[in-house]
Amino acid sequence: MSETATVLTPAAAPRVDRRARHARTARRPWLVTAGVALAYLILAAVANGSAWTHGVAHTLQPSGGNDVPEEIWFLAQTPWVLLHGHNPFVNNWLNAPVGINLMDNTTMPLLGILAFPITFLFGPIATFNVLIDVAIFASAMSFFVMARRFVSWWPAAFVGGLAYGFSPFTAATANAHLFLLFQAVPPLVILSVDRFLRSDKSSPVWTGVAMGLCFVAQFYISTEVFASLAVMTCIAAVLGGGVVLSKHVPLDLRRTVTFVGCAAIVVVVGVGYGAFVALAGPHHITGPAQPATAIAGITVDPLGLVVPTIDQHFTLGHAVLGDSLVAARAPDWKIAFDSPVENGSYVGVPLLLALVIASFVLRRKRIALFSSAMGAIALLFSFGSHLHVDGHRTGIPLPFVVIEHLPLLDSSVAARWVTYFWLFAALLLALLLDAAHGAVGADGRLGRYGGAVVSGLVAVAVLLPLLPAWPYATTPASVPAWFTSGARSLPAGSAALIYPVADSGNDSSMLWQAMAQMDFRMPGGFAVIPGADGTNTFNGQPSPLEEALDQCEGGAPAAPEFPAAALRAQLRQWHTETVAVVPTAPGAACATALFTGALGPAHPVGGVLLWPKLGAAA
């Protein structure tokens, strides 16, 4: 800063005050970070605003369907089984008495442990609702911290955090998929690598340990994201290695090997047992968790980049088309059902133009070139194994065809890889805004704040079309009173058969079990459970009794022909001590007649029909 005259005019005095305020801010960068964090937190809370308004502990998002009770169950079971000395990776609290391999599922054990105080004080529904907002906040905040390494103007990093943490991918996945929504780890991986590369003073050992811990944390949040993050990291390493070789960039090989080795050791030690359980532990599945034919249509359609969905506030009347572009499809390619919770592909014309301009204007900056390349690769992967445009198959093979044939990646949903596009698109946008602010400010013709005005207008233009359609709609969770009172007095770990039996069509009983503080095991479940041949099913191997109850739930006019002796034998096989029927459930009268014929009359209590103390737990 140049010196000014020793005698200041009144007009010049305010200018000195502004410089002083700027200097104080520079000396206390935590003020900026705290302000950004507060802004992100307030905006994230808008997503679940309806839940906060109507009761965060007993309000659910109906848009998430059966995935929401399932994820609430996962969040509740991990801390409970740990406190009671059970295995959090394999147990029989679901699909009793056989059990399930929880590492083959979207269990999120790390989130369940970290959020246990919320579960303990307010219940698992509150945990899910709070973590939706926390995941959005954490993703945006980790991006901001990472981006500050690459931009000098902090508002550019702030806008980048908005683009990443509040992207259309976020708006889609926050409906139901908490395990995908928590995207705070990838920016931290970039931060660890950048710290190692750009600072000779950073310890390769501790930086490597930090990076390894990032991967371990991601593994225990989502094994699917862990796998895709590993692939994208390897691709980034190949690109970086190409630059080193082609540009003859000096590289300290010993330091690099130490960094990578320490990270690898931490990952192997940290995920070793969990990975073993997933691949070879009890009740593990063989083959993909989801067949390629079942997820073939859940890929990004190039047209979706410019067509909004129901998850955007400004749909421009095209939400129906946008939703249909990512859909589960039958073998004949007809849409089985739209998947707006998987459709995070909308970018909008303004942001697309900004990214193209940034790729060209900033091509001499290595980080911009790297971001452009990685973003393009991630977007290409999200198109799936074969290109389809406007819902029509072209037959053109794409690189993802290799991914879907790799072990451990063969059930990866292509549309979910678009999260990495958003990561690098947000970084490229931050770099563009930072460059524009510096260039316009240096020119001087638009005044002192010209750079901020121009960059601000660009930010508004690219972000406004992406505005999420928040808050999500909510509905009161239907939990009969018995599950929060009487069920908690059952012998810990005893088996209870709850109707409707949890399956992929209706998993309400999993929510009720979670609200009962996991004090009983139960047959059935909506989860990845191996079938008779070891391949995945989402319901396991239903017994004859479960099939009869399924007929009731499906609308059977009377109780199916099922001998009372066979019913009692099945309950003994399950070691069932308690049977409960929720009378408001579909087919409850049919199920009640079935149990009454074998067990006698029920006892109405706390909103359920109860057959207690069956004395079958031998």
Side-chain angles (χ1 to χ4, degrees), residues 206-275:
W206 291 112
T207 310
V209 168
M211 182 171 174
L213 289 175
C214 287
F215 277 91
V216 172
Q218 187 63 76
F219 181 84
Y220 292 111
I221 295 171
S222 169
T223 53
E224 180 181 349
V225 177
F226 169 84
S228 62
L229 179 60
V231 171
M232 292 300 291
T233 303
C234 290
I235 292 173
V238 171
L239 291 180
V243 171
V244 169
L245 293 175
S246 63
K247 301 294 185 180
H248 303 290
V249 178
L251 184 67
D252 188 333
L253 186 60
R254 181 178 179 180
R255 191 166 180 269
T256 302
V257 170
T258 302
F259 168 72
V260 174
C262 289
I265 290 171
V266 170
V267 171
V268 170
V269 172
V271 311
Y273 175 66

Side-chain angles (χ1 to χ4, degrees), residues 376-475:
I377 291 170
L379 186 60
L380 189 61
F381 278 159
S382 72
F383 289 163
S385 58
H386 291 82
L387 182 66
H388 66 89
V389 181
D390 193 17
H392 302 290
R393 290 178 290 183
T394 66
I396 300 173
L398 297 173
F400 197 80
V401 72
V402 177
I403 298 292
E404 71 176 15
H405 286 95
L406 291 176
L408 310 182
L409 288 163
D410 49 7
S411 61
S412 183
V413 179
R416 296 174 180 176
W417 289 63
V418 80
T419 183
Y420 301 107
F421 163 80
W422 282 108
L423 172 62
F424 293 106
L427 183 53
L428 194 57
L429 175 62
L431 293 169
L432 177 65
L433 296 178
D434 186 55
H437 172 262
V440 175
D443 183 84
R445 285 177 292 181
L446 294 180
R448 182 175 179 181
Y449 298 106
V453 171
V454 170
S455 296
L457 290 175
V458 172
V460 171
V462 300
L463 294 183
L464 191 60
L466 309 181
L467 190 67
W470 288 347
Y472 296 112
T474 56
T475 185

Side-chain angles (χ1 to χ4, degrees), residues 143 156 159-169 304-307 312 344-360 372 375 379 418-433 455 457-467:
F143 180 93
V159 173
L162 292 176
Y164 178 64
F166 300 82
S167 71
F169 176 84
L305 301 178
V306 293
V307 180
Q312 277 70 62
S345 62
Y346 178 61
V347 179
V349 174
L351 180 55
L352 277 176
L353 290 175
L355 295 177
V356 171
I357 293 170
S359 299
F360 177 76
S372 299
L379 186 60
V418 80
T419 183
Y420 301 107
F421 163 80
W422 282 108
L423 172 62
F424 293 106
L427 183 53
L428 194 57
L429 175 62
L431 293 169
L432 177 65
L433 296 178
S455 296
L457 290 175
V458 172
V460 171
V462 300
L463 294 183
L464 191 60
L466 309 181
L467 190 67

Side-chain angles (χ1 to χ4, degrees), residues 112-122:
I113 293 170
L114 294 177
F116 173 66
I118 303 173
T119 306
F120 179 77
L121 293 173
F122 304 105

Side-chain angles (χ1 to χ4, degrees), residues 132-191:
I132 289 290
D133 293 339
V134 169
I136 297 171
F137 162 78
S139 301
M141 196 65 207
S142 70
F143 180 93
F144 174 81
V145 173
M146 178 271 292
R148 288 294 284 133
R149 298 278 295 182
F150 304 104
V151 300
S152 57
W153 189 50
W154 71 260
F158 172 73
V159 173
L162 292 176
Y164 178 64
F166 300 82
S167 71
F169 176 84
T170 296
T173 55
N175 282 283
H177 295 155
L178 177 60
F179 67 101
L180 297 175
L181 181 65
F182 198 95
Q183 290 291 334
V185 173
L188 297 181
V189 171
I190 296 176
L191 185 64

